[in-house]
Amino acid sequence: MTDTRIRTNADEERSERTEETADERQRCPECGGPLVTDEERGERVCDDCGLVVEEGAMDRGPEWRAFDATEREQKSRVGAPTTTMMHDKGLSTNIDWRDKDAYGNSLGSRQREKMQRLRKWNERFRTRDSKERNLKQALGEIDRMASALGLPENVRETASVIYRRALDEDLLPGRSIEGVATSSLYAAARQSGNPRSLDEVAGVSRVEKEEIARTYRYVVRELGLEIEPADPKSYVPRFVSELDLSEETERRARSLLETATEKGIHSGKSPVGLAAAAVYAAALLTNEKVTQSEVSDVASISEVTIRNRYHELLEAEDGTVAP
DNA sequence: ATGGTTTTTACTGCGTC
DNA sequence: GACGCGGTAAAAACCAT
């Protein structure tokens, strides 16, 4: 009796799961739109609402092909993956703090002392010179701020790379570690298409906004970083979700911004302001209640700017619909 | 440093609940 | 009367030169 019950449960579960995964392959769980694969970023993204369904996909296959033993040797990838997020790229030796051997047995007192000494020296070598310590601290900061801003791993990696370069080019003297770290993160976020406004970044940094801006400009110039002005659309999803608005609103906001971009209304205006205005205007069109002050709060943009922008946005939209 | 543009600040008037 | 909204003028911030 119990036997049959268990079996049916298991069967149901199995069929349900296969169905779900098959369905999930091409449908967005949020809006039901078709999914497209972004090979470059390793993401599966909804074509309609832009929801990232799956990320961090990676090509784990071997390098193209190998013709003889030497090449096989060279092209095989063995060992832990390196990461720029640790100051030594995760390649140095780490000694466990537990006094156990590889089998989990406790060590004798002689061995314990030995391990103490080894740990001490290993640590000293690991963070040998000031640059290493500098990096360690900066990467910690980057990680902390990135978490606070909800930025994905790849942005942190990019920020780490930028910081490393700044360090290599001796851009640090005269500037604070935190300032450069924050700027690196700000730059990385923009570069990766997940921009955060200067205000937001300043909010989680220990450094003043002005200094961040100054350092950011400096770093970008010295490193020759190419960073395009942020796309207003990239702010929309966040504002929408923070204000608890519908997807319909988000869609409208996007299309508002698109027509505005086509008409060239956007140049010279702050992308954040545009995004905020678009969200407000879209909420108006879908009869959802948001006040200007709420939007201005989450976007940290003045209400006046929202007013001015959203008038322009609506005009541009009307112009395209009925000329 | 300068001038032009954009954003912010501060204030006022209007309508609604 | 508080609130949301709109408009305006002047100040401040920003940007390219």
Short mmCIF file of all heavy atoms in Angstrom, two decimals, chain A residues 126-191:
data_model
loop_
_atom_site.label_atom_id
_atom_site.label_comp_id
_atom_site.label_asym_id
_atom_site.label_seq_id
_atom_site.Cartn_x
_atom_site.Cartn_y
_atom_site.Cartn_z
N ARG A 126 52.44 35.47 1.64
CA ARG A 126 51.27 35.67 0.81
C ARG A 126 50.97 37.16 0.63
O ARG A 126 50.62 37.61 -0.45
CB ARG A 126 50.06 34.97 1.43
CG ARG A 126 49.21 34.25 0.44
CD ARG A 126 48.57 33.05 1.07
NE ARG A 126 47.71 33.43 2.18
CZ ARG A 126 46.42 33.73 2.02
NH1 ARG A 126 45.88 33.73 0.84
NH2 ARG A 126 45.67 34.03 3.05
N THR A 127 51.06 37.90 1.69
CA THR A 127 50.78 39.32 1.60
C THR A 127 52.08 40.07 1.76
O THR A 127 52.25 40.88 2.66
CB THR A 127 49.79 39.75 2.69
OG1 THR A 127 50.32 39.34 3.94
CG2 THR A 127 48.46 39.11 2.48
N ARG A 128 52.99 39.75 0.89
CA ARG A 128 54.36 40.21 1.07
C ARG A 128 54.51 41.71 1.05
O ARG A 128 54.79 42.34 2.05
CB ARG A 128 55.24 39.57 0.00
CG ARG A 128 56.71 39.66 0.31
CD ARG A 128 57.47 38.80 -0.67
NE ARG A 128 56.57 37.84 -1.32
CZ ARG A 128 56.45 37.74 -2.62
NH1 ARG A 128 57.13 38.51 -3.42
NH2 ARG A 128 55.63 36.86 -3.13
N ASP A 129 54.33 42.28 -0.09
CA ASP A 129 54.65 43.71 -0.14
C ASP A 129 53.39 44.57 -0.06
O ASP A 129 52.28 44.07 -0.02
CB ASP A 129 55.46 44.03 -1.40
CG ASP A 129 54.77 43.48 -2.62
OD1 ASP A 129 53.54 43.44 -2.60
OD2 ASP A 129 55.46 43.08 -3.57
N SER A 130 53.61 45.87 -0.07
CA SER A 130 52.48 46.77 0.17
C SER A 130 51.44 46.68 -0.95
O SER A 130 50.25 46.80 -0.70
CB SER A 130 52.98 48.21 0.26
OG SER A 130 53.49 48.63 -0.98
N LYS A 131 51.91 46.42 -2.14
CA LYS A 131 50.95 46.33 -3.25
C LYS A 131 49.96 45.21 -3.03
O LYS A 131 48.78 45.33 -3.30
CB LYS A 131 51.69 46.11 -4.57
CG LYS A 131 52.17 47.40 -5.19
CD LYS A 131 52.52 47.20 -6.64
CE LYS A 131 52.92 48.53 -7.26
NZ LYS A 131 53.31 48.43 -8.66
N GLU A 132 50.50 44.09 -2.55
CA GLU A 132 49.62 42.96 -2.33
C GLU A 132 48.58 43.28 -1.27
O GLU A 132 47.41 42.97 -1.41
CB GLU A 132 50.44 41.73 -1.91
CG GLU A 132 51.26 41.16 -3.04
CD GLU A 132 50.39 40.54 -4.12
OE1 GLU A 132 49.80 39.49 -3.88
OE2 GLU A 132 50.28 41.13 -5.22
N ARG A 133 49.05 43.90 -0.20
CA ARG A 133 48.11 44.22 0.88
C ARG A 133 47.08 45.23 0.41
O ARG A 133 45.89 45.13 0.72
CB ARG A 133 48.87 44.76 2.09
CG ARG A 133 49.05 43.70 3.16
CD ARG A 133 49.82 44.21 4.33
NE ARG A 133 51.25 44.18 4.06
CZ ARG A 133 52.02 45.24 4.18
NH1 ARG A 133 51.52 46.40 4.52
NH2 ARG A 133 53.31 45.15 3.94
N ASN A 134 47.60 46.20 -0.35
CA ASN A 134 46.75 47.20 -0.97
C ASN A 134 45.63 46.54 -1.78
O ASN A 134 44.45 46.82 -1.59
CB ASN A 134 47.69 48.00 -1.89
CG ASN A 134 47.01 49.11 -2.61
OD1 ASN A 134 45.83 49.00 -2.93
ND2 ASN A 134 47.75 50.17 -2.88
N LEU A 135 46.03 45.62 -2.63
CA LEU A 135 45.08 44.92 -3.47
C LEU A 135 44.05 44.16 -2.66
O LEU A 135 42.87 44.20 -2.92
CB LEU A 135 45.83 43.92 -4.34
CG LEU A 135 45.80 44.10 -5.85
CD1 LEU A 135 46.49 42.95 -6.51
CD2 LEU A 135 44.36 44.20 -6.33
N LYS A 136 44.56 43.51 -1.64
CA LYS A 136 43.69 42.70 -0.80
C LYS A 136 42.56 43.55 -0.24
O LYS A 136 41.40 43.17 -0.30
CB LYS A 136 44.53 42.12 0.35
CG LYS A 136 43.97 40.87 0.95
CD LYS A 136 44.94 40.36 2.00
CE LYS A 136 44.42 39.10 2.66
NZ LYS A 136 45.35 38.60 3.68
N GLN A 137 42.95 44.69 0.27
CA GLN A 137 41.96 45.57 0.87
C GLN A 137 40.98 46.09 -0.18
O GLN A 137 39.76 46.07 0.01
CB GLN A 137 42.66 46.75 1.53
CG GLN A 137 41.72 47.59 2.37
CD GLN A 137 42.37 48.90 2.78
OE1 GLN A 137 43.59 49.03 2.76
NE2 GLN A 137 41.54 49.87 3.14
N ALA A 138 41.54 46.52 -1.30
CA ALA A 138 40.69 47.09 -2.35
C ALA A 138 39.69 46.07 -2.87
O ALA A 138 38.51 46.38 -3.05
CB ALA A 138 41.55 47.60 -3.49
N LEU A 139 40.16 44.84 -3.08
CA LEU A 139 39.25 43.83 -3.62
C LEU A 139 38.15 43.50 -2.62
O LEU A 139 37.02 43.23 -3.00
CB LEU A 139 40.03 42.57 -4.00
CG LEU A 139 41.05 42.77 -5.11
CD1 LEU A 139 41.67 41.45 -5.51
CD2 LEU A 139 40.43 43.45 -6.31
N GLY A 140 38.51 43.57 -1.36
CA GLY A 140 37.49 43.37 -0.33
C GLY A 140 36.43 44.45 -0.41
O GLY A 140 35.23 44.15 -0.36
N GLU A 141 36.87 45.66 -0.58
CA GLU A 141 35.94 46.78 -0.70
C GLU A 141 35.05 46.62 -1.92
O GLU A 141 33.84 46.80 -1.85
CB GLU A 141 36.71 48.10 -0.81
CG GLU A 141 37.12 48.69 0.52
CD GLU A 141 35.91 48.99 1.37
OE1 GLU A 141 35.16 49.91 1.03
OE2 GLU A 141 35.70 48.29 2.38
N ILE A 142 35.68 46.28 -3.03
CA ILE A 142 34.92 46.12 -4.27
C ILE A 142 33.83 45.07 -4.08
O ILE A 142 32.68 45.26 -4.45
CB ILE A 142 35.85 45.72 -5.43
CG1 ILE A 142 36.70 46.92 -5.84
CG2 ILE A 142 35.06 45.19 -6.61
CD1 ILE A 142 37.75 46.62 -6.88
N ASP A 143 34.22 43.98 -3.46
CA ASP A 143 33.27 42.91 -3.23
C ASP A 143 32.11 43.37 -2.36
O ASP A 143 30.95 43.13 -2.66
CB ASP A 143 33.99 41.74 -2.55
CG ASP A 143 33.38 40.42 -2.95
OD1 ASP A 143 32.91 40.33 -4.09
OD2 ASP A 143 33.36 39.51 -2.12
N ARG A 144 32.46 44.07 -1.30
CA ARG A 144 31.43 44.55 -0.37
C ARG A 144 30.45 45.48 -1.08
O ARG A 144 29.23 45.31 -0.99
CB ARG A 144 32.10 45.30 0.78
CG ARG A 144 31.14 45.82 1.81
CD ARG A 144 31.84 46.67 2.86
NE ARG A 144 32.44 47.87 2.31
CZ ARG A 144 31.76 49.00 2.02
NH1 ARG A 144 30.47 49.04 2.21
NH2 ARG A 144 32.37 50.05 1.53
N MET A 145 31.00 46.45 -1.80
CA MET A 145 30.14 47.43 -2.46
C MET A 145 29.30 46.77 -3.55
O MET A 145 28.12 47.09 -3.72
CB MET A 145 30.99 48.55 -3.06
CG MET A 145 31.65 49.38 -2.00
SD MET A 145 32.51 50.82 -2.67
CE MET A 145 33.89 50.07 -3.49
N ALA A 146 29.91 45.84 -4.28
CA ALA A 146 29.18 45.17 -5.35
C ALA A 146 27.99 44.41 -4.78
O ALA A 146 26.90 44.44 -5.35
CB ALA A 146 30.10 44.23 -6.11
N SER A 147 28.20 43.77 -3.64
CA SER A 147 27.08 43.07 -3.02
C SER A 147 25.98 44.04 -2.64
O SER A 147 24.80 43.81 -2.90
CB SER A 147 27.54 42.34 -1.76
OG SER A 147 28.59 41.48 -2.05
N ALA A 148 26.39 45.13 -2.04
CA ALA A 148 25.41 46.11 -1.60
C ALA A 148 24.61 46.67 -2.77
O ALA A 148 23.44 47.01 -2.62
CB ALA A 148 26.11 47.25 -0.86
N LEU A 149 25.23 46.72 -3.93
CA LEU A 149 24.55 47.27 -5.10
C LEU A 149 23.89 46.18 -5.93
O LEU A 149 23.29 46.47 -6.95
CB LEU A 149 25.55 48.04 -5.97
CG LEU A 149 26.10 49.33 -5.38
CD1 LEU A 149 27.25 49.85 -6.21
CD2 LEU A 149 25.01 50.38 -5.27
N GLY A 150 24.04 44.94 -5.50
CA GLY A 150 23.44 43.85 -6.24
C GLY A 150 24.05 43.65 -7.61
O GLY A 150 23.35 43.34 -8.56
N LEU A 151 25.34 43.84 -7.71
CA LEU A 151 26.00 43.67 -9.01
C LEU A 151 26.52 42.24 -9.14
O LEU A 151 27.05 41.69 -8.18
CB LEU A 151 27.15 44.65 -9.14
CG LEU A 151 26.72 46.11 -9.35
CD1 LEU A 151 27.89 47.05 -9.17
CD2 LEU A 151 26.11 46.28 -10.72
N PRO A 152 26.35 41.66 -10.32
CA PRO A 152 26.76 40.27 -10.53
C PRO A 152 28.27 40.09 -10.52
O PRO A 152 29.03 41.06 -10.59
CB PRO A 152 26.21 39.94 -11.91
CG PRO A 152 26.07 41.24 -12.60
CD PRO A 152 25.77 42.23 -11.53
N GLU A 153 28.65 38.85 -10.48
CA GLU A 153 30.05 38.49 -10.35
C GLU A 153 30.93 39.08 -11.46
O GLU A 153 32.02 39.57 -11.20
CB GLU A 153 30.18 36.97 -10.38
CG GLU A 153 31.55 36.48 -10.05
CD GLU A 153 31.52 35.57 -8.84
OE1 GLU A 153 30.65 35.75 -7.97
OE2 GLU A 153 32.35 34.69 -8.76
N ASN A 154 30.44 39.02 -12.69
CA ASN A 154 31.32 39.46 -13.78
C ASN A 154 31.69 40.94 -13.64
O ASN A 154 32.77 41.34 -14.04
CB ASN A 154 30.64 39.19 -15.13
CG ASN A 154 29.38 39.99 -15.30
OD1 ASN A 154 28.66 40.22 -14.33
ND2 ASN A 154 29.12 40.44 -16.51
N VAL A 155 30.81 41.71 -13.05
CA VAL A 155 31.12 43.12 -12.84
C VAL A 155 32.25 43.25 -11.82
O VAL A 155 33.16 44.06 -11.98
CB VAL A 155 29.89 43.90 -12.35
CG1 VAL A 155 30.25 45.34 -12.02
CG2 VAL A 155 28.80 43.86 -13.38
N ARG A 156 32.19 42.43 -10.78
CA ARG A 156 33.25 42.47 -9.78
C ARG A 156 34.58 42.10 -10.40
O ARG A 156 35.61 42.70 -10.11
CB ARG A 156 32.95 41.49 -8.65
CG ARG A 156 31.64 41.81 -7.99
CD ARG A 156 31.30 40.79 -6.95
NE ARG A 156 29.87 40.83 -6.71
CZ ARG A 156 29.30 40.28 -5.66
NH1 ARG A 156 30.02 39.65 -4.78
NH2 ARG A 156 28.01 40.36 -5.51
N GLU A 157 34.53 41.08 -11.26
CA GLU A 157 35.76 40.67 -11.93
C GLU A 157 36.32 41.83 -12.73
O GLU A 157 37.51 42.14 -12.67
CB GLU A 157 35.48 39.49 -12.87
CG GLU A 157 35.05 38.22 -12.16
CD GLU A 157 36.24 37.34 -11.81
OE1 GLU A 157 37.36 37.70 -12.16
OE2 GLU A 157 36.01 36.29 -11.17
N THR A 158 35.45 42.47 -13.50
CA THR A 158 35.91 43.60 -14.31
C THR A 158 36.49 44.70 -13.44
O THR A 158 37.54 45.26 -13.74
CB THR A 158 34.73 44.17 -15.12
OG1 THR A 158 34.00 43.11 -15.71
CG2 THR A 158 35.23 45.10 -16.20
N ALA A 159 35.80 44.98 -12.36
CA ALA A 159 36.28 46.02 -11.46
C ALA A 159 37.67 45.65 -10.93
O ALA A 159 38.56 46.49 -10.85
CB ALA A 159 35.31 46.19 -10.29
N SER A 160 37.84 44.37 -10.60
CA SER A 160 39.14 43.92 -10.12
C SER A 160 40.21 44.16 -11.16
O SER A 160 41.31 44.63 -10.85
CB SER A 160 39.11 42.44 -9.79
OG SER A 160 38.01 42.15 -8.98
N VAL A 161 39.88 43.85 -12.41
CA VAL A 161 40.85 44.04 -13.49
C VAL A 161 41.23 45.50 -13.62
O VAL A 161 42.41 45.85 -13.72
CB VAL A 161 40.27 43.52 -14.83
CG1 VAL A 161 41.20 43.88 -15.97
CG2 VAL A 161 40.07 42.03 -14.76
N ILE A 162 40.23 46.35 -13.59
CA ILE A 162 40.50 47.79 -13.72
C ILE A 162 41.39 48.25 -12.57
O ILE A 162 42.36 48.97 -12.77
CB ILE A 162 39.18 48.58 -13.74
CG1 ILE A 162 38.38 48.24 -14.98
CG2 ILE A 162 39.47 50.08 -13.70
CD1 ILE A 162 37.02 48.87 -15.04
N TYR A 163 41.06 47.78 -11.38
CA TYR A 163 41.85 48.21 -10.23
C TYR A 163 43.31 47.76 -10.36
O TYR A 163 44.23 48.51 -10.11
CB TYR A 163 41.25 47.68 -8.93
CG TYR A 163 41.94 48.26 -7.72
CD1 TYR A 163 41.49 49.45 -7.18
CD2 TYR A 163 43.06 47.65 -7.17
CE1 TYR A 163 42.14 50.02 -6.10
CE2 TYR A 163 43.71 48.21 -6.10
CZ TYR A 163 43.25 49.39 -5.56
OH TYR A 163 43.89 49.95 -4.50
N ARG A 164 43.46 46.51 -10.79
CA ARG A 164 44.82 46.00 -10.99
C ARG A 164 45.60 46.86 -11.97
O ARG A 164 46.76 47.18 -11.75
CB ARG A 164 44.77 44.58 -11.56
CG ARG A 164 44.80 43.52 -10.54
CD ARG A 164 44.51 42.18 -11.22
NE ARG A 164 44.09 41.23 -10.24
CZ ARG A 164 44.92 40.64 -9.40
NH1 ARG A 164 46.20 40.92 -9.44
NH2 ARG A 164 44.47 39.79 -8.51
N ARG A 165 44.93 47.20 -13.04
CA ARG A 165 45.62 48.03 -14.04
C ARG A 165 46.00 49.37 -13.44
O ARG A 165 47.12 49.86 -13.66
CB ARG A 165 44.71 48.24 -15.26
CG ARG A 165 44.61 47.02 -16.14
CD ARG A 165 43.96 47.35 -17.47
NE ARG A 165 44.63 48.45 -18.13
CZ ARG A 165 44.09 49.19 -19.09
NH1 ARG A 165 42.86 48.95 -19.46
NH2 ARG A 165 44.76 50.16 -19.65
N ALA A 166 45.09 49.97 -12.71
CA ALA A 166 45.39 51.25 -12.08
C ALA A 166 46.61 51.12 -11.17
O ALA A 166 47.48 52.00 -11.13
CB ALA A 166 44.18 51.74 -11.29
N LEU A 167 46.65 50.01 -10.48
CA LEU A 167 47.77 49.78 -9.56
C LEU A 167 49.07 49.61 -10.34
O LEU A 167 50.10 50.19 -9.99
CB LEU A 167 47.47 48.52 -8.74
CG LEU A 167 48.29 48.30 -7.47
CD1 LEU A 167 48.08 49.45 -6.52
CD2 LEU A 167 47.88 46.99 -6.83
N ASP A 168 49.00 48.85 -11.42
CA ASP A 168 50.20 48.62 -12.23
C ASP A 168 50.73 49.89 -12.84
O ASP A 168 51.93 50.06 -13.03
CB ASP A 168 49.89 47.61 -13.35
CG ASP A 168 49.74 46.20 -12.81
OD1 ASP A 168 50.17 45.99 -11.66
OD2 ASP A 168 49.21 45.33 -13.52
N GLU A 169 49.82 50.79 -13.18
CA GLU A 169 50.25 52.03 -13.83
C GLU A 169 50.59 53.11 -12.82
O GLU A 169 50.72 54.27 -13.18
CB GLU A 169 49.15 52.53 -14.77
CG GLU A 169 48.60 51.46 -15.68
CD GLU A 169 49.00 51.66 -17.13
OE1 GLU A 169 49.21 52.82 -17.53
OE2 GLU A 169 49.13 50.65 -17.84
N ASP A 170 50.67 52.73 -11.57
CA ASP A 170 51.02 53.68 -10.52
C ASP A 170 50.08 54.87 -10.47
O ASP A 170 50.51 56.01 -10.38
CB ASP A 170 52.46 54.17 -10.70
CG ASP A 170 53.44 53.10 -10.24
OD1 ASP A 170 53.12 52.40 -9.27
OD2 ASP A 170 54.51 52.97 -10.86
N LEU A 171 48.81 54.57 -10.54
CA LEU A 171 47.83 55.65 -10.46
C LEU A 171 47.41 55.93 -9.02
O LEU A 171 46.70 56.90 -8.76
CB LEU A 171 46.58 55.25 -11.26
CG LEU A 171 46.46 55.75 -12.69
CD1 LEU A 171 47.78 55.74 -13.41
CD2 LEU A 171 45.43 54.95 -13.45
N LEU A 172 47.88 55.08 -8.12
CA LEU A 172 47.41 55.21 -6.75
C LEU A 172 47.98 56.39 -5.96
O LEU A 172 47.25 57.06 -5.25
CB LEU A 172 47.68 53.91 -5.98
CG LEU A 172 46.54 52.93 -5.88
CD1 LEU A 172 45.40 53.53 -5.08
CD2 LEU A 172 46.03 52.53 -7.27
N PRO A 173 49.28 56.66 -6.06
CA PRO A 173 49.86 57.69 -5.22
C PRO A 173 49.05 58.98 -5.29
O PRO A 173 48.77 59.49 -6.36
CB PRO A 173 51.25 57.91 -5.82
CG PRO A 173 51.58 56.61 -6.45
CD PRO A 173 50.29 56.01 -6.91
N GLY A 174 48.69 59.48 -4.14
CA GLY A 174 47.92 60.72 -4.10
C GLY A 174 46.43 60.48 -4.06
O GLY A 174 45.66 61.39 -3.87
N ARG A 175 46.03 59.22 -4.24
CA ARG A 175 44.60 58.91 -4.20
C ARG A 175 44.35 57.79 -3.21
O ARG A 175 45.25 56.99 -2.94
CB ARG A 175 44.11 58.49 -5.58
CG ARG A 175 43.53 59.60 -6.39
CD ARG A 175 43.65 59.32 -7.87
NE ARG A 175 44.99 59.60 -8.31
CZ ARG A 175 45.37 60.78 -8.79
NH1 ARG A 175 44.51 61.74 -8.89
NH2 ARG A 175 46.61 60.98 -9.17
N SER A 176 43.16 57.76 -2.70
CA SER A 176 42.89 56.74 -1.71
C SER A 176 42.57 55.41 -2.36
O SER A 176 42.05 55.35 -3.47
CB SER A 176 41.71 57.17 -0.84
OG SER A 176 40.52 57.15 -1.58
N ILE A 177 42.89 54.34 -1.67
CA ILE A 177 42.57 53.02 -2.16
C ILE A 177 41.07 52.89 -2.40
O ILE A 177 40.63 52.42 -3.43
CB ILE A 177 43.03 51.95 -1.14
CG1 ILE A 177 44.54 51.97 -1.03
CG2 ILE A 177 42.52 50.59 -1.55
CD1 ILE A 177 45.07 51.00 -0.01
N GLU A 178 40.33 53.36 -1.42
CA GLU A 178 38.88 53.23 -1.52
C GLU A 178 38.32 54.01 -2.70
O GLU A 178 37.41 53.55 -3.38
CB GLU A 178 38.24 53.76 -0.25
CG GLU A 178 38.86 53.18 0.99
CD GLU A 178 37.82 52.76 1.97
OE1 GLU A 178 36.79 53.45 2.03
OE2 GLU A 178 38.04 51.76 2.65
N GLY A 179 38.89 55.19 -2.91
CA GLY A 179 38.42 56.01 -4.02
C GLY A 179 38.62 55.30 -5.34
O GLY A 179 37.71 55.23 -6.16
N VAL A 180 39.80 54.76 -5.52
CA VAL A 180 40.10 54.08 -6.79
C VAL A 180 39.27 52.80 -6.91
O VAL A 180 38.75 52.48 -7.97
CB VAL A 180 41.60 53.76 -6.90
CG1 VAL A 180 41.89 53.05 -8.21
CG2 VAL A 180 42.41 55.04 -6.82
N ALA A 181 39.12 52.10 -5.79
CA ALA A 181 38.31 50.88 -5.80
C ALA A 181 36.88 51.21 -6.21
O ALA A 181 36.30 50.53 -7.07
CB ALA A 181 38.33 50.22 -4.43
N THR A 182 36.33 52.25 -5.61
CA THR A 182 34.97 52.64 -5.94
C THR A 182 34.84 53.03 -7.41
O THR A 182 33.91 52.63 -8.09
CB THR A 182 34.52 53.82 -5.07
OG1 THR A 182 34.87 53.57 -3.71
CG2 THR A 182 33.03 54.02 -5.16
N SER A 183 35.80 53.80 -7.87
CA SER A 183 35.77 54.23 -9.27
C SER A 183 35.84 53.03 -10.20
O SER A 183 35.15 52.99 -11.22
CB SER A 183 36.94 55.16 -9.56
OG SER A 183 36.92 56.25 -8.67
N SER A 184 36.68 52.07 -9.84
CA SER A 184 36.80 50.88 -10.68
C SER A 184 35.46 50.17 -10.78
O SER A 184 35.06 49.74 -11.86
CB SER A 184 37.84 49.92 -10.09
OG SER A 184 39.06 50.57 -9.90
N LEU A 185 34.80 50.08 -9.66
CA LEU A 185 33.51 49.40 -9.65
C LEU A 185 32.48 50.17 -10.47
O LEU A 185 31.74 49.59 -11.27
CB LEU A 185 33.01 49.23 -8.22
CG LEU A 185 31.70 48.46 -8.06
CD1 LEU A 185 31.87 47.04 -8.56
CD2 LEU A 185 31.25 48.46 -6.62
N TYR A 186 32.49 51.48 -10.27
CA TYR A 186 31.57 52.33 -11.02
C TYR A 186 31.80 52.15 -12.52
O TYR A 186 30.85 51.97 -13.30
CB TYR A 186 31.78 53.79 -10.61
CG TYR A 186 30.96 54.80 -11.36
CD1 TYR A 186 29.57 54.81 -11.27
CD2 TYR A 186 31.58 55.77 -12.15
CE1 TYR A 186 28.82 55.74 -11.95
CE2 TYR A 186 30.83 56.71 -12.84
CZ TYR A 186 29.46 56.70 -12.73
OH TYR A 186 28.72 57.62 -13.42
N ALA A 187 33.07 52.18 -12.91
CA ALA A 187 33.42 52.02 -14.32
C ALA A 187 33.00 50.64 -14.82
O ALA A 187 32.41 50.50 -15.89
CB ALA A 187 34.92 52.21 -14.52
N ALA A 188 33.28 49.62 -14.03
CA ALA A 188 32.96 48.26 -14.43
C ALA A 188 31.46 48.08 -14.62
O ALA A 188 31.00 47.45 -15.57
CB ALA A 188 33.48 47.27 -13.40
N ALA A 189 30.70 48.66 -13.70
CA ALA A 189 29.25 48.55 -13.77
C ALA A 189 28.73 49.18 -15.06
O ALA A 189 27.88 48.62 -15.74
CB ALA A 189 28.60 49.21 -12.56
N ARG A 190 29.28 50.34 -15.39
CA ARG A 190 28.83 51.00 -16.60
C ARG A 190 29.24 50.22 -17.84
O ARG A 190 28.48 50.07 -18.78
CB ARG A 190 29.40 52.41 -16.67
CG ARG A 190 28.66 53.36 -15.77
CD ARG A 190 29.17 54.76 -15.89
NE ARG A 190 29.05 55.29 -17.23
CZ ARG A 190 29.21 56.58 -17.51
NH1 ARG A 190 29.51 57.42 -16.55
NH2 ARG A 190 29.10 57.01 -18.74
N GLN A 191 30.46 49.74 -17.80
CA GLN A 191 30.98 49.03 -18.96
C GLN A 191 30.18 47.77 -19.26
O GLN A 191 30.02 47.38 -20.40
CB GLN A 191 32.44 48.66 -18.71
CG GLN A 191 33.31 48.81 -19.93
CD GLN A 191 34.77 48.67 -19.59
OE1 GLN A 191 35.14 48.05 -18.60
NE2 GLN A 191 35.63 49.25 -20.41
#
